[in-house]
Amino acid sequence: MTTPQSDLEKNEIHSSGSPSQEDADTRPTNSFEVALEPQDDPKSLPLWRRWITALIINAGAICVTGASSMAAVAEVGISQTFHVSTEVATLAVTLFVIGLGIGPLLVGPLAAVYGQRPIYLASFTLMFAFTWPVAFSNSIAVHMIFRFLCGFSGSAFLSIGGGTISDLFTDEEVGTPMAAYTISTFIGPVLTPIFSGFIFQNAGWRWLYRVLIIWEFVQTLLLLLVPETTIGIILKKKAVRLRKTTGDTRYYAPVETEKTNVLRSIRIGMWHILELIIYDRMALLLDIWLSLILGILYLVFQVFPIIFGQLHGFNAEDTGLTFLGVGVGLAIAMVSQIFWNR
């Protein structure tokens, strides 16, 4: 029994090999391998939708990296609430950043297996859930453990965000959106101290994380608008659709023929990262440079409250505004991108 087929399905079948009986005996073995058609390519999406997707990814990166520095403003309150030293309260930032560093080793390979969209949704859903114990815990141990888990969960936006941007834009277009994504990872840590000082001074440190919970919830809803951009997963879905509509089980995507599992993907992904650092001098130098810049940036979060708060008598609101200088520098860097594009 046959089912009627739409023009789109016929085009998909034709592109991968017509299933007609007269060609069945002469068709080569790989003629049932689905191919990427122009309408399947994420780069063929309307420009406005590609930019909205990029902005949502950038907003997620701002939220994740902003959550890392938010704890710096709360250190005084955490120290007083849990009766611990300032050095222990500083671990709220340190453990979050450690989670951000470890997470990409696992998240990147998982995205290749399951696709980027599920990873984004799982990332923010878990981060949203793990922030609740941070905001309402009565134990410093629980607070610190879940700060690490929040950083680990949110690390997806630092490991696969750039891949999504490159999937959406051509080589000629990708410069500006990629620069915007890169800048967003630096804007987050600078943006949150500016308004966190006002929240902390007027409502206490727990409200910092309550606001973060609301922010994460809204961001999770926005992520529902992000399409899948991983080519292998797109072809896999196309093959499943063809098998369902035609009844021919011979259609397949290249990713379905690969003998892989999650643990093997993670092992290969970790090796590729190490291999890139060892053999690609440019990648190594960029990693060292970014490590230095991020080290200085996070040092600022600890030093500015001491310099302006303790030495110059600034309150929490005024100390937060001192980070505007870094924000101005980032804005200038983003504007200058139109010149580097040439």
Side-chain angles (χ1 to χ4, degrees), residues 61-62 64-72 75 90 92-94 96-98 100 147 158 185-186 188-190 192 290-305 323 326:
I62 291 174
V64 171
T65 54
S68 66
S69 63
M70 186 176 286
E75 285 176 3
T90 303
V93 176
T94 304
F96 191 98
V97 175
I98 291 175
L100 286 180
R147 277 293 291 175
L158 303 184
T185 61
F186 290 90
V190 176
T192 49
L290 286 175
S291 299
L292 175 63
I293 295 300
L294 286 172
I296 294 173
L297 184 63
Y298 280 92
L299 180 63
V300 164
F301 301 141
Q302 303 299 326
V303 172
F304 274 25
F323 293 93
V326 183

Side-chain angles (χ1 to χ4, degrees), residues 113-177:
V113 177
Y114 299 107
Q116 294 174 346
R117 189 173 186 270
I119 297 299
Y120 285 135
L121 291 172
S123 171
F124 251 87
T125 301
L126 290 174
M127 188 177 174
F128 170 76
F130 291 151
T131 305
W132 285 82
V134 173
F136 296 98
S137 65
N138 293 316
S139 167
I140 186 64
V142 172
H143 183 88
M144 294 302 176
I145 289 172
F146 280 93
R147 277 293 291 175
F148 168 79
L149 292 176
C150 283
F152 184 87
S153 302
S155 64
F157 287 82
L158 303 184
S159 57
I160 63 176
T164 301
I165 301 298
S166 62
D167 288 339
L168 289 169
F169 296 90
T170 63
D171 293 343
E172 293 76 16
E173 301 171 326
V174 76
T176 299

